[in-house]
Short mmCIF file of all heavy atoms in Angstrom, two decimals:
data_model
loop_
_atom_site.label_atom_id
_atom_site.label_comp_id
_atom_site.label_asym_id
_atom_site.label_seq_id
_atom_site.Cartn_x
_atom_site.Cartn_y
_atom_site.Cartn_z
N THR A 678 0.81 -1.22 -0.01
CA THR A 678 -0.01 0.01 0.01
C THR A 678 0.88 1.24 -0.03
O THR A 678 2.00 1.21 0.56
CB THR A 678 -0.88 0.03 1.17
OG1 THR A 678 -0.17 0.08 2.42
CG2 THR A 678 -1.85 -1.20 1.22
N TRP A 679 0.39 2.29 -0.63
CA TRP A 679 1.17 3.54 -0.74
C TRP A 679 1.26 4.32 0.58
O TRP A 679 2.33 4.89 0.93
CB TRP A 679 0.54 4.44 -1.75
CG TRP A 679 0.73 3.97 -3.18
CD1 TRP A 679 -0.21 3.58 -4.05
CD2 TRP A 679 1.98 3.99 -3.84
NE1 TRP A 679 0.33 3.21 -5.22
CE2 TRP A 679 1.72 3.50 -5.15
CE3 TRP A 679 3.33 4.25 -3.49
CZ2 TRP A 679 2.71 3.28 -6.14
CZ3 TRP A 679 4.32 4.07 -4.45
CH2 TRP A 679 3.97 3.58 -5.76
N THR A 680 0.21 4.34 1.40
CA THR A 680 0.23 5.14 2.61
C THR A 680 0.89 4.41 3.80
O THR A 680 1.91 4.91 4.36
CB THR A 680 -1.24 5.50 3.03
OG1 THR A 680 -2.04 4.30 3.10
CG2 THR A 680 -1.79 6.44 1.93
N GLY A 681 0.46 3.30 4.19
CA GLY A 681 0.96 2.63 5.34
C GLY A 681 2.12 1.66 5.04
O GLY A 681 2.88 1.22 5.94
N GLY A 682 2.34 1.34 3.73
CA GLY A 682 3.37 0.41 3.42
C GLY A 682 3.08 -1.04 3.86
O GLY A 682 4.03 -1.77 4.04
N SER A 683 1.83 -1.42 3.95
CA SER A 683 1.47 -2.75 4.31
C SER A 683 1.77 -3.72 3.19
O SER A 683 1.49 -3.28 2.00
CB SER A 683 0.02 -2.87 4.69
OG SER A 683 -0.34 -1.99 5.85
N THR A 684 2.38 -4.81 3.47
CA THR A 684 2.81 -5.70 2.48
C THR A 684 2.09 -7.05 2.53
O THR A 684 1.63 -7.41 3.59
CB THR A 684 4.31 -6.02 2.48
OG1 THR A 684 4.60 -6.54 3.79
CG2 THR A 684 5.07 -4.70 2.25
N TYR A 685 1.88 -7.67 1.44
CA TYR A 685 1.27 -8.92 1.27
C TYR A 685 2.04 -9.85 0.34
O TYR A 685 2.48 -9.34 -0.75
CB TYR A 685 -0.26 -8.79 0.80
CG TYR A 685 -0.97 -7.73 1.59
CD1 TYR A 685 -0.95 -6.40 1.29
CD2 TYR A 685 -1.73 -8.18 2.75
CE1 TYR A 685 -1.65 -5.50 2.02
CE2 TYR A 685 -2.46 -7.31 3.43
CZ TYR A 685 -2.40 -5.93 3.15
OH TYR A 685 -3.09 -5.06 3.86
N TYR A 686 2.17 -11.05 0.69
CA TYR A 686 2.87 -11.97 -0.20
C TYR A 686 2.22 -13.34 -0.41
O TYR A 686 1.50 -13.76 0.43
CB TYR A 686 4.27 -12.34 0.50
CG TYR A 686 5.15 -11.14 0.71
CD1 TYR A 686 5.21 -10.43 1.88
CD2 TYR A 686 6.05 -10.75 -0.36
CE1 TYR A 686 6.05 -9.27 2.01
CE2 TYR A 686 6.94 -9.66 -0.17
CZ TYR A 686 6.87 -8.98 1.00
OH TYR A 686 7.72 -7.87 1.12
N ALA A 687 2.44 -13.87 -1.58
CA ALA A 687 1.96 -15.26 -1.80
C ALA A 687 2.84 -16.20 -0.93
O ALA A 687 4.01 -15.93 -0.70
CB ALA A 687 2.20 -15.57 -3.25
N ASP A 688 2.25 -17.23 -0.54
CA ASP A 688 2.96 -18.24 0.27
C ASP A 688 4.25 -18.77 -0.35
O ASP A 688 5.25 -19.07 0.34
CB ASP A 688 2.06 -19.37 0.69
CG ASP A 688 0.94 -19.03 1.68
OD1 ASP A 688 1.08 -17.97 2.34
OD2 ASP A 688 -0.08 -19.73 1.75
N SER A 689 4.25 -18.87 -1.66
CA SER A 689 5.35 -19.42 -2.34
C SER A 689 6.56 -18.61 -2.32
O SER A 689 7.69 -19.05 -2.60
CB SER A 689 4.92 -19.75 -3.80
OG SER A 689 4.49 -18.54 -4.51
N VAL A 690 6.46 -17.31 -2.02
CA VAL A 690 7.59 -16.40 -2.07
C VAL A 690 7.95 -15.78 -0.70
O VAL A 690 8.93 -15.06 -0.57
CB VAL A 690 7.44 -15.28 -3.10
CG1 VAL A 690 7.10 -15.84 -4.45
CG2 VAL A 690 6.29 -14.32 -2.69
N LYS A 691 7.08 -16.03 0.31
CA LYS A 691 7.38 -15.52 1.68
C LYS A 691 8.74 -15.89 2.12
O LYS A 691 9.12 -17.06 2.04
CB LYS A 691 6.35 -15.92 2.64
CG LYS A 691 4.99 -15.30 2.43
CD LYS A 691 3.98 -15.82 3.49
CE LYS A 691 2.62 -15.08 3.29
NZ LYS A 691 1.60 -15.64 4.23
N GLY A 692 9.51 -14.94 2.75
CA GLY A 692 10.82 -15.20 3.24
C GLY A 692 11.93 -15.07 2.17
O GLY A 692 13.08 -15.03 2.51
N ARG A 693 11.55 -15.03 0.93
CA ARG A 693 12.54 -14.86 -0.16
C ARG A 693 12.42 -13.56 -0.94
O ARG A 693 13.41 -13.06 -1.34
CB ARG A 693 12.40 -16.10 -1.15
CG ARG A 693 12.58 -17.48 -0.51
CD ARG A 693 12.60 -18.52 -1.55
NE ARG A 693 11.44 -18.66 -2.24
CZ ARG A 693 11.22 -18.49 -3.60
NH1 ARG A 693 12.34 -18.15 -4.35
NH2 ARG A 693 10.11 -18.61 -4.17
N PHE A 694 11.18 -13.19 -1.14
CA PHE A 694 10.95 -11.89 -1.89
C PHE A 694 10.61 -10.72 -0.94
O PHE A 694 9.91 -11.00 0.11
CB PHE A 694 9.79 -12.03 -2.88
CG PHE A 694 10.07 -12.98 -4.10
CD1 PHE A 694 11.27 -13.75 -4.08
CD2 PHE A 694 9.23 -13.02 -5.15
CE1 PHE A 694 11.52 -14.59 -5.17
CE2 PHE A 694 9.44 -13.89 -6.19
CZ PHE A 694 10.62 -14.65 -6.20
N THR A 695 10.97 -9.56 -1.30
CA THR A 695 10.58 -8.40 -0.54
C THR A 695 10.09 -7.24 -1.44
O THR A 695 10.84 -6.92 -2.40
CB THR A 695 11.80 -7.86 0.33
OG1 THR A 695 12.23 -8.84 1.15
CG2 THR A 695 11.34 -6.65 1.14
N ILE A 696 8.93 -6.76 -1.24
CA ILE A 696 8.36 -5.67 -1.99
C ILE A 696 8.54 -4.36 -1.21
O ILE A 696 8.43 -4.32 -0.01
CB ILE A 696 6.87 -5.88 -2.36
CG1 ILE A 696 6.39 -4.86 -3.38
CG2 ILE A 696 6.06 -5.93 -1.09
CD1 ILE A 696 4.97 -5.08 -3.89
N SER A 697 8.93 -3.31 -1.90
CA SER A 697 9.07 -2.03 -1.35
C SER A 697 8.74 -0.93 -2.29
O SER A 697 8.41 -1.18 -3.49
CB SER A 697 10.51 -1.84 -0.90
OG SER A 697 11.43 -1.86 -1.98
N ARG A 698 8.59 0.31 -1.82
CA ARG A 698 8.17 1.43 -2.67
C ARG A 698 8.84 2.70 -2.30
O ARG A 698 9.31 2.93 -1.20
CB ARG A 698 6.67 1.56 -2.68
CG ARG A 698 6.11 2.46 -1.55
CD ARG A 698 5.86 1.62 -0.29
NE ARG A 698 5.04 2.35 0.66
CZ ARG A 698 5.52 3.02 1.72
NH1 ARG A 698 6.87 3.09 1.90
NH2 ARG A 698 4.71 3.64 2.51
N ASP A 699 8.96 3.57 -3.34
CA ASP A 699 9.54 4.90 -3.19
C ASP A 699 8.39 5.78 -3.59
O ASP A 699 8.14 5.94 -4.89
CB ASP A 699 10.77 5.10 -4.11
CG ASP A 699 11.37 6.42 -3.83
OD1 ASP A 699 10.69 7.40 -3.53
OD2 ASP A 699 12.65 6.55 -4.07
N ASN A 700 7.65 6.35 -2.74
CA ASN A 700 6.49 7.16 -3.02
C ASN A 700 6.86 8.39 -3.87
O ASN A 700 6.08 8.72 -4.77
CB ASN A 700 5.78 7.63 -1.77
CG ASN A 700 5.11 6.45 -0.99
OD1 ASN A 700 5.68 5.39 -0.88
ND2 ASN A 700 4.00 6.76 -0.44
N ALA A 701 7.99 9.01 -3.60
CA ALA A 701 8.40 10.23 -4.42
C ALA A 701 8.58 9.84 -5.88
O ALA A 701 8.30 10.68 -6.71
CB ALA A 701 9.55 10.83 -3.77
N LYS A 702 9.01 8.66 -6.10
CA LYS A 702 9.35 8.24 -7.53
C LYS A 702 8.19 7.41 -8.13
O LYS A 702 8.34 7.06 -9.30
CB LYS A 702 10.70 7.46 -7.53
CG LYS A 702 11.90 8.22 -7.17
CD LYS A 702 13.12 7.41 -7.31
CE LYS A 702 14.39 8.18 -6.92
NZ LYS A 702 15.64 7.33 -6.94
N SER A 703 7.16 7.16 -7.32
CA SER A 703 6.10 6.28 -7.81
C SER A 703 6.62 5.04 -8.35
O SER A 703 6.25 4.54 -9.44
CB SER A 703 5.24 7.04 -8.83
OG SER A 703 4.57 8.18 -8.25
N THR A 704 7.57 4.40 -7.63
CA THR A 704 8.23 3.23 -8.08
C THR A 704 8.13 2.09 -7.03
O THR A 704 8.22 2.34 -5.87
CB THR A 704 9.70 3.48 -8.39
OG1 THR A 704 9.81 4.45 -9.40
CG2 THR A 704 10.40 2.25 -8.79
N VAL A 705 7.85 0.93 -7.51
CA VAL A 705 7.82 -0.23 -6.69
C VAL A 705 8.85 -1.23 -7.02
O VAL A 705 9.16 -1.37 -8.22
CB VAL A 705 6.37 -0.90 -6.77
CG1 VAL A 705 6.39 -2.25 -6.03
CG2 VAL A 705 5.32 -0.02 -6.17
N TYR A 706 9.45 -1.85 -6.11
CA TYR A 706 10.58 -2.84 -6.31
C TYR A 706 10.24 -4.13 -5.80
O TYR A 706 9.40 -4.28 -4.88
CB TYR A 706 11.80 -2.35 -5.61
CG TYR A 706 12.24 -0.91 -5.93
CD1 TYR A 706 11.86 0.20 -5.11
CD2 TYR A 706 13.03 -0.69 -7.03
CE1 TYR A 706 12.21 1.47 -5.42
CE2 TYR A 706 13.38 0.67 -7.34
CZ TYR A 706 13.04 1.67 -6.52
OH TYR A 706 13.36 2.96 -6.86
N LEU A 707 10.80 -5.13 -6.41
CA LEU A 707 10.63 -6.48 -5.96
C LEU A 707 12.00 -7.15 -5.83
O LEU A 707 12.66 -7.48 -6.84
CB LEU A 707 9.78 -7.33 -6.80
CG LEU A 707 9.41 -8.79 -6.33
CD1 LEU A 707 8.52 -8.71 -5.09
CD2 LEU A 707 8.77 -9.58 -7.44
#
């Protein structure tokens, strides 16, 4: 989410993948 930064993951990738965001750049990373 853009405001609170709450993250959600599929079970298959939990612990291995990390999602993040840069609000100023409107960019999401994986």
Side-chain angles (χ1 to χ4, degrees):
T678 62
W679 287 112
T680 54
S683 300
T684 58
Y685 307 87
Y686 297 94
D688 289 340
S689 59
V690 306
K691 286 181 179 177
R693 300 188 299 118
F694 291 10
T695 302
I696 188 171
S697 61
R698 84 273 194 263
D699 185 333
N700 292 39
K702 297 181 179 179
S703 296
T704 300
V705 172
Y706 307 93
L707 186 67

